[in-house]
Structure formats: C-alpha cells, structure tokens
Amino acid sequence: MSLRKYGWLFVTTLLLGGLGGILVGLIFASDKLLEGGMANFFMGSFMQMLYGMTISIVAQMGFFAYMMINYLARGLFKTASLWKSIQVFLVLFAFFDMVYLRYTLLGEDGSVWPFFVEPFLLLLVAFVTAYGKARLTNQTAWVPTLFFMFVFSAIEWIPALKQFNVHATLSMLVPLLFCNIWQVMHLHRLVKRES
C-alpha cells in the first residue's frame, strides 16, 4: 500500500467517524442542540464531529493492530486453517466475555438476558460485513473479516461497555462501525497491485 493510498484511507475514515458522531448527536441530543439557538446547534454538532473523529482514530489503530497480528499469525502458524480456527475460537470467546464480564460488572443480580443484546447485534453486523467482503473478494476473507469486525470492535468499544447507558454505548458504537466497515471493505482495493 502506498503512502498516498494510506493517506486517502486515513482521511476518509476520519471524516466518516465525524459523520457518525454528528449522526448520533442528532439522533440522541437534537432537542438539547436546538434549545440554545443556531450557535448552540452548530457548536454541539461540531463537538459531536470531533468526538466521532476521535473514535475513528481508535478504529484506525485497531485496524493497524489487526493487520499486524494477522500478518504475524499467518507466518507463525503452519496452516491457514489453524489460524482460521483460532480466529473463530476468539470470536466465541469474545462473545462470552462481552456477556459475562458486563453481567458481573453491571448485572447486580438481575437477569443475564439484557447483556446478550450488544454482543448479538455486533455479531450480526460482523456476519453481514463478512458476507459482503467475501462476495467482493473471495471466501477466504470471510473468517478474518468476521474476526476483525467482532473481536476488534469489541475491544475498541470497551470504554462504553463499562456503562449501562444506551447513549454512551451507541455514541461510541456508531462511529466505530462506520470506520471499521469502511476500512475492511476498502482494504482489498488499496493493496491491489497496479499493473
């Protein structure tokens, strides 16, 4: 990947994260943004955009970490099927951890079922993204895309998952998913060799 292509990916991901931040701000805080007049609306939208851009930096660091781990693991393990099996195991382990750790932290002896919502929705988005990536490229991209979209999005999402607050959870998740989906769906175009 050339520096120009990486710069394009960086800037577009940054802008997409800002757009996700503005979208969440308009959905959850539109009444607060409008009560102070237009100046308050623009300043609030600007702050939401900066928040989304900050989240996009976290997403880009996670994407770079994933690419490094994937590169090292493909060289470390003898067969590609072993690395794929480990990735599937880590997806299942991360799903369990998202439910169990949040329940022990925030459950307060209530029902465990509400803590399945976030991991299930994230797994659904990861499945859809992996299906789309496999259709764009080939079937070998399915497991790595699922692994990145679920495990790395869950790791990047940890600060919001420590709270039992829908606004905090979604205000971080929406820009994260925008950025992670954007990056993984454009990677094959950026690393393609030009003839």
Side-chain angles (χ1 to χ4, degrees), residues 76-90:
L76 180 68
F77 298 113
K78 300 290 182 197
T79 62
S81 63
L82 177 62
W83 174 229
K84 284 186 179 182
S85 301
I86 291 171
Q87 290 178 86
V88 170
F89 170 76
L90 289 174

Side-chain angles (χ1 to χ4, degrees), residues 24-170:
V24 169
L26 291 176
I27 290 171
F28 283 105
S30 59
D31 53 342
K32 291 180 183 177
L33 290 175
L34 292 175
E35 71 185 25
M38 289 306 277
N40 190 35
F41 175 77
F42 284 118
M43 192 58 175
S45 297
F46 180 70
M47 295 305 288
Q48 286 295 128
M49 181 186 73
L50 290 179
Y51 175 74
M53 288 179 160
T54 304
I55 299 301
S56 80
I57 298 296
V58 172
Q60 291 185 54
M61 288 188 321
F63 188 63
F64 182 74
Y66 164 73
M67 289 194 304
M68 292 299 297
I69 288 171
N70 192 42
Y71 177 76
L72 292 173
R74 285 173 33 196
L76 180 68
F77 298 113
K78 300 290 182 197
T79 62
S81 63
L82 177 62
W83 174 229
K84 284 186 179 182
S85 301
I86 291 171
Q87 290 178 86
V88 170
F89 170 76
L90 289 174
V91 167
L92 296 173
F93 185 74
F95 187 91
F96 171 77
D97 275 352
M98 282 182 74
V99 175
Y100 178 74
L101 294 177
R102 288 193 73 224
Y103 176 69
T104 57
L105 180 68
L106 304 170
E108 299 176 2
D109 300 327
S111 175
V112 73
W113 295 112
F115 296 96
F116 275 90
V117 173
E118 289 92 351
F120 179 75
L121 290 176
L122 184 58
L123 190 61
L124 182 66
V125 169
F127 267 105
V128 170
T129 306
Y131 176 76
K133 180 71 173 184
R135 298 264 308 181
L136 283 176
T137 57
N138 56 44
Q139 290 300 317
T140 59
W142 203 91
V143 172
T145 304
L146 178 71
F147 173 71
F148 168 72
M149 285 302 300
F150 188 80
V151 175
F152 277 80
S153 295
I155 291 170
E156 296 161 356
W157 198 17
I158 285 175
L161 290 175
K162 290 182 179 179
Q163 306 172 35
F164 202 53
N165 182 342
V166 175
H167 179 262
T169 303
L170 287 179

